[in-house]
């Protein structure tokens, strides 16, 4: 059994190897792709073209059984370095392996194989010494998916089989429980069940349609941020969803970001692009008039719709979409104001996240890796980068928060502070960002008149408190499991009369609650009382108010809560006050 990270990774790699061994033992003609380790597990890609049978998720337990039979045989893993010529002979019927051998030979790298009994695989390793080091009860095959060879849509679609593996049966059990809970909280699943949003193939992949319930919550998020930003000195603008090619040439997006932009649109012989980011548009607004140091800081804000070309294989509901709306802002200020503005942005982050009950987040100072010439190769002013990174770090220290550093995570125009959290899968995720930009003002010739009457370039802060509304909405849906706080819930209370003769009282209660600002509806359907209560809880309505003879006589409601079994009796006025307080406190 594995005792440390290196060993558990060797176990995972060996399990991928054993899966291929089990598959080829049953299907000699199968073509093998690659079988690397990944976070928490492994996968292997197979080409079952022309075969009568290929694994489905229902068949994975059978495949697991074959693998366990192999493990029980105490099979050795033996490495051998061989020539490219010999490798081609061994894998003459394996086209994907032959492609890899050609690449290894061209790169001048060593070619090695691993033998396990009668099975041989092209592999650099490492593996465990023998299968006795693998815990039979600490791994599980999890899913079957399609995957293009080498990740390119131009290549053949293969069958990818995933598995997970840990050091112990308990760790595996804990992980599977987390995955089960994550599946329940998946915003795509809840989006369908709660009628929040949809994706239509007729409209297109990655282009979400917001349904009334989801649109209501999103509008609440927008209204909330609009008020917050107005209170903090932001000024709102609108910009179009496309722009002339020369704007993105000036911004550097066509040089650094073209692969993630859509193809140009020909308009009267000139090329236009769908907007991937709002910043160059805002720079044009800044440049519109003469700016004095007295006008700074200038904080421009927009709920800006952008379009980015995300490959179909990575599209994930609202988390990775091709069209989304950013909670965007660009702050223009002199260098002397930069640190203070960054601290104010960090304060706003904290205030907003506190209102949403988000406490499990931390900060990452994302820095460049100048060895990555593709991303940072044309950035010659290293001193500018060092200066902006130093100010960003000073702001984090002054704000008094813990942070980590991430080399190579900066944008092509400057370092940034990312707000990190763990998603329901336990993986680290970025939910918002603030970027320091000494670069764009020079490229766009943005200036202000300083105290000496001279022109000076401003520094630009790019910040998105909620990131995009789409992604934040998905994150919030998963964090709450669809149990949105009362102030965000499209329906805050459902009135459920116990019988038809109490419908009039139910209508009266609903009218009183609506006049008190409570979003209430009535369910006077023919279903049993129990079914209507369960239906309300399934829809995650915060309050289910049962009314009958006793409640009508007393002017009360029997309050059922979505997240607990107990029931309370309150007057209509008391209940309205309860909801009003929760709205005010944003619980």
């Amino acid at each position: 059994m594995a005792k440390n990270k290196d060993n558990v990774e060797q176990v995972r790699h060996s399990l991928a190897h054993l899966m291929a061994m089990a598959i080829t033992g049953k299907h000699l003609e199968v073509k093998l792709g690659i079988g690397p380790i990944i976070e928490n597990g492994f996968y292997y890609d197979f080409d079952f073209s022309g075969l009568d049978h290929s694994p489905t998720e229902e068949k994975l337990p059978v495949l697991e059984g074959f693998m366990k039979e192999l493990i029980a045989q105490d099979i050795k893993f033996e490495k051998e370095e061989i020539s490219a010529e010999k490798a081609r002979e061994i894998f003459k019927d394996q086209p994907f392996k032959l492609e890899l051998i050609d690449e290894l030979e061209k790169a001048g790298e060593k070619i090695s194989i691993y033998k396990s009994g009668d099975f041989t695989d092209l592999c650099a390793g490492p593996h465990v010494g023998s299968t006795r080091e693998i815990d039979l009860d600490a791994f599980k095959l999890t899913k079957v998916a399609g995957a293009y060879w080498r990740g390119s849509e131009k290549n053949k679609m293969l069958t990818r089989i995933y598995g997970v593996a840990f050091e112990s049966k308990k760790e595996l059990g804990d992980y599977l429980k987390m995955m089960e809970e994550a599946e329940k909280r998946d915003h795509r699943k809840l989006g369908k069940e709660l009628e929040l949003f949809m994706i239509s193939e007729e409209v297109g992949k990655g282009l979400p349609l917001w349904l009334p319930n989801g649109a209501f919550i999103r509008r609440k998020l927008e209204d909330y941020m609009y008020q917050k930003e107005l209170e903090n000195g932001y000024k709102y603008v609108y910009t179009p969803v496309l722009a002339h090619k020369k704007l993105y040439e000036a911004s550097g997006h066509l040089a650094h970001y073209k692969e993630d932009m859509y193809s140009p649109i020909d308009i009267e012989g000139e090329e236009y692009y769908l907007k991937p980011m709002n910043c160059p548009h805002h720079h044009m607004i800044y440049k519109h008039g003469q700016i004095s140091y007295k006008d700074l800081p200038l904080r421009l804000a927009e709920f800006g719709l952008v379009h980015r070309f995300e490959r179909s294989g990575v599209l994930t509901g609202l988390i990775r979409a091709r069209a989304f709306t950013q909670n965007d802002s660009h702050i223009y200020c002199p260098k002397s104001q930069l640190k203070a503005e960054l601290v104010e942005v960090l304060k706003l982050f904290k205030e907003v996240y506190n209102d949403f009950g988000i406490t499990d987040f931390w900060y990452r100072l994302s820095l460049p890796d100048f060895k990555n010439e593709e991303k940072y190769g044309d950035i010659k002013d290293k001193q500018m980068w060092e200066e902006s990174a130093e100010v960003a770090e000073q702001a984090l220290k002054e704000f008094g928060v813990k942070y980590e550093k991430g080399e190579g995570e900066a944008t092509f125009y400057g370092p940034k502070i990312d707000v990190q959290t763990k998603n329901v899968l336990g993986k680290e995720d970025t939910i918002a960002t603030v970027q320091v930009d000494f670069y764009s003002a020079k490229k766009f010739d943005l200036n202000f008149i300083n105290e000496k009457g001279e022109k000076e370039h401003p520094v630009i802060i790019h910040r998105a408190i909620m990131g995009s509304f789409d992604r934040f909405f998905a994150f919030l849906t998963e964090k709450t499991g669809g149990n949105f706080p009362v102030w965000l819930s499209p329906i805050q209370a459902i009135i459920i009369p116990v019988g038809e003769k109490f419908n009039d009282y139910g209508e009266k209660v609903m009218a009183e609650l609506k006049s008190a600002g409570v979003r209430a509806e009535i369910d006077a359907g023919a279903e049993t009382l129990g079914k209507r209560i369960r239906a309300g809880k399934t829809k995650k309505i915060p309050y289910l108010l049962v009314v009958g003879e006793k409640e009508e006589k007393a002017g009360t409601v029997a309050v059922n809560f979505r997240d607990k079994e107990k029931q309370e009796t309150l007057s209509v006025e008391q209940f309205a006050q309860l909801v009003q307080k929760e709205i005010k406190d944003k619980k």
Side-chain angles (χ1 to χ4, degrees):
M1 181 166 64
K3 298 295 182 184
N4 56 48
K5 182 182 176 183
D6 289 340
N7 280 351
V8 80
E9 288 187 350
Q10 289 179 23
V11 166
R12 288 166 179 163
H13 200 175
S14 301
L15 284 165
H17 189 102
L18 286 170
M19 176 161 56
M21 186 177 178
I23 290 281
T24 54
K26 301 296 177 182
H27 306 286
L28 292 174
E29 303 87 353
V30 72
K31 307 305 179 189
L32 301 177
I34 57 173
I37 61 170
I38 54 176
E39 185 178 9
N40 299 316
F42 57 93
Y43 70 78
Y44 211 110
D45 290 341
F46 303 94
D47 181 8
F48 291 95
S49 299
L51 301 181
D52 294 333
H53 302 288
S54 63
T56 61
E57 291 189 5
E58 292 74 23
K59 296 177 183 177
L60 291 184
V62 176
L63 179 55
E64 263 183 53
F66 294 150
M67 291 172 66
K68 288 180 179 180
E69 288 175 10
L70 294 173
I71 292 169
Q73 295 174 27
D74 190 16
I75 297 172
K76 302 291 188 292
F77 287 85
E78 299 174 324
K79 183 177 181 179
E80 181 183 349
E81 289 186 1
I82 59 175
S83 67
E85 184 179 356
K86 185 175 180 180
R88 289 191 185 95
E89 176 60 28
I90 293 171
F91 298 103
K92 61 185 178 182
D93 298 321
Q94 295 289 341
F96 304 113
K97 299 295 184 184
L98 291 173
E99 183 180 324
L100 295 173
I101 292 165
D102 289 344
E103 289 185 7
L104 289 169
E105 183 181 35
K106 186 176 180 180
E109 295 184 21
K110 293 179 179 179
I111 297 174
S112 61
I113 58 173
Y114 270 84
K115 293 181 178 179
S116 304
D118 296 331
F119 179 72
T120 300
D121 203 358
L122 180 73
C123 185
H127 289 285
V128 296
S130 78
T131 56
R132 68 183 175 186
E133 298 177 46
I134 301 173
D135 189 332
L136 286 169
D137 297 317
F139 82 94
K140 183 177 179 62
L141 301 185
T142 54
K143 66 176 180 177
V144 179
Y148 291 107
W149 169 240
R150 313 299 290 275
S152 172
E153 295 178 14
K154 297 177 182 178
N155 293 335
K156 193 167 190 177
M157 175 69 78
L158 305 181
T159 299
R160 177 171 294 178
I161 304 176
Y162 288 92
V164 293
F166 295 89
E167 291 188 296
S168 67
K169 182 179 180 180
K170 181 182 182 304
E171 283 182 276
L172 174 64
D174 291 344
Y175 177 81
L176 294 176
K177 284 180 184 176
M178 183 178 73
M179 290 300 100
E180 184 181 351
E181 182 62 24
E183 187 177 347
K184 292 177 186 175
R185 290 171 173 263
D186 189 314
H187 78 282
R188 292 165 295 183
K189 179 175 181 289
L190 290 170
K192 184 176 182 180
E193 292 172 355
L194 303 179
E195 297 186 317
L196 302 172
F197 72 96
M198 62 177 282
I199 305 289
S200 166
E201 288 294 324
E202 286 82 3
V203 174
K205 295 178 181 178
L207 302 173
L209 300 172
W210 291 78
L211 302 176
N213 288 340
F216 179 92
I217 297 170
R218 172 173 158 167
R219 182 54 185 264
K220 281 288 182 183
L221 297 178
E222 292 176 348
D223 289 346
Y224 168 86
M225 281 311 307
Y226 182 76
Q227 290 302 321
K228 278 287 179 193
E229 289 173 334
L230 286 182
E231 291 167 8
N232 282 272
Y234 289 83
K235 297 179 179 180
Y236 272 81
V237 297
Y238 292 99
T239 61
V241 296
L242 78 168
H244 196 284
K245 176 176 73 172
K246 62 186 178 184
L247 182 68
Y248 300 122
E249 288 176 336
S251 68
H253 285 100
L254 280 178
H256 294 276
Y257 206 74
K258 188 175 182 179
E259 292 301 311
D260 297 299
M261 295 170 64
Y262 283 98
S263 301
I265 302 166
D266 185 292
I267 301 178
E268 297 180 336
E270 297 185 282
E271 289 185 356
Y272 286 74
Y273 284 86
L274 284 171
K275 177 174 67 173
M277 294 182 184
N278 302 298
C279 38
H281 295 247
H282 289 190
H283 299 340
M284 291 298 98
I285 291 174
Y286 177 92
K287 202 172 181 178
H288 170 67
Q290 190 174 70
I291 302 291
S292 162
Y293 71 95
K294 295 179 182 179
D295 301 315
L296 301 180
L298 176 62
R299 307 180 185 103
L300 298 180
E302 179 181 13
F303 299 159
L305 175 62
V306 297
H307 293 79
R308 297 180 188 172
F309 174 48
E310 297 283 5
R311 278 64 181 172
S312 58
V314 300
L315 293 174
T316 314
L318 299 177
I319 291 176
R320 292 288 290 271
R322 289 174 171 168
F324 51 92
T325 302
Q326 292 181 303
N327 169 214
D328 215 356
S329 173
H330 296 91
I331 302 170
Y332 302 83
C333 66
K335 288 183 183 180
S336 60
Q337 294 177 346
L338 176 59
K339 185 174 73 170
E341 284 299 305
L342 285 173
V343 170
E344 287 304 310
V345 169
L346 292 173
K347 286 180 181 176
L348 187 55
F349 271 125
K350 186 175 181 180
E351 186 177 332
V352 170
Y353 289 2
N354 280 347
D355 280 348
F356 285 89
I358 301 169
T359 56
D360 54 340
F361 66 91
W362 64 95
Y363 299 93
R364 181 182 69 197
L365 179 59
S366 295
L367 303 169
D369 173 11
F370 289 114
K371 294 176 185 176
N372 183 349
E373 294 191 1
E374 185 178 346
K375 188 173 182 180
Y376 304 106
D378 67 343
I379 306 298
K380 297 179 175 61
D381 193 345
K382 302 288 196 303
Q383 183 180 349
M384 176 186 74
W385 280 78
E386 290 169 1
E387 184 180 353
S388 55
E390 183 181 353
V391 177
E393 189 162 10
Q394 287 174 359
L396 284 164
K397 288 178 178 177
E398 184 171 313
F399 191 54
V401 293
K402 292 182 180 180
Y403 61 93
E404 56 189 36
K405 294 183 181 181
E407 190 174 281
E409 298 293 338
T411 63
F412 68 84
Y413 51 78
K416 56 180 178 160
I417 299 170
D418 289 319
V419 182
Q420 303 295 108
T421 189
K422 283 193 175 180
N423 60 28
V424 292
L425 297 172
K427 295 181 180 179
E428 184 175 334
D429 211 350
T430 300
I431 52 174
T433 188
V434 51
Q435 301 163 2
V436 181
D437 182 359
F438 279 52
Y439 181 65
S440 297
K442 291 181 182 178
K443 288 185 73 74
F444 280 92
D445 194 27
L446 307 182
N447 301 287
F448 67 92
I449 305 301
N450 64 22
E451 295 94 327
K452 297 177 183 178
E454 300 168 343
K455 284 186 176 182
E456 184 178 327
H457 292 307
V459 182
I460 304 166
I461 299 171
H462 305 241
R463 53 106 290 206
I465 301 295
M466 287 188 178
S468 78
F469 287 107
D470 312 65
R471 187 178 178 86
F472 188 84
F473 179 89
F475 167 76
L476 190 64
T477 301
E478 295 186 346
K479 280 284 188 179
T480 62
N483 292 299
F484 294 105
V486 172
W487 71 279
L488 284 178
S489 296
I491 303 170
Q492 294 165 328
I494 289 279
I495 298 109
I496 306 175
V498 298
E500 187 177 350
K501 63 181 179 179
F502 302 109
N503 287 354
D504 288 345
Y505 178 62
E507 295 281 356
K508 179 184 176 185
V509 170
M510 182 173 67
E512 289 181 26
L513 291 178
K514 284 185 173 181
S515 67
V518 178
R519 295 188 289 276
E521 292 186 3
I522 189 168
D523 182 357
E527 297 285 356
T528 65
L529 178 63
K531 281 187 176 180
R532 283 181 285 160
I533 291 175
R534 284 193 296 275
K537 289 193 174 186
T538 299
K539 292 177 182 177
K540 303 187 185 293
I541 308 299
Y543 298 107
L544 308 167
L545 311 180
V546 176
V547 294
E549 184 176 3
K550 182 173 68 174
E551 288 76 26
E552 184 175 22
K553 286 181 178 178
T556 60
V557 290
V559 184
N560 292 266
F561 303 83
R562 68 180 167 192
D563 54 354
K564 48 191 174 184
E565 293 300 320
K566 74 170 186 174
Q567 187 183 80
E568 292 183 13
T569 299
L570 297 174
S571 70
V572 177
E573 184 180 359
Q574 286 174 325
F575 176 74
Q577 290 172 350
L578 169 68
V579 177
Q580 288 166 348
K581 187 175 189 307
E582 292 215 348
I583 293 170
K584 181 181 177 182
D585 295 343
K586 291 186 169 55
K587 285 190 176 180

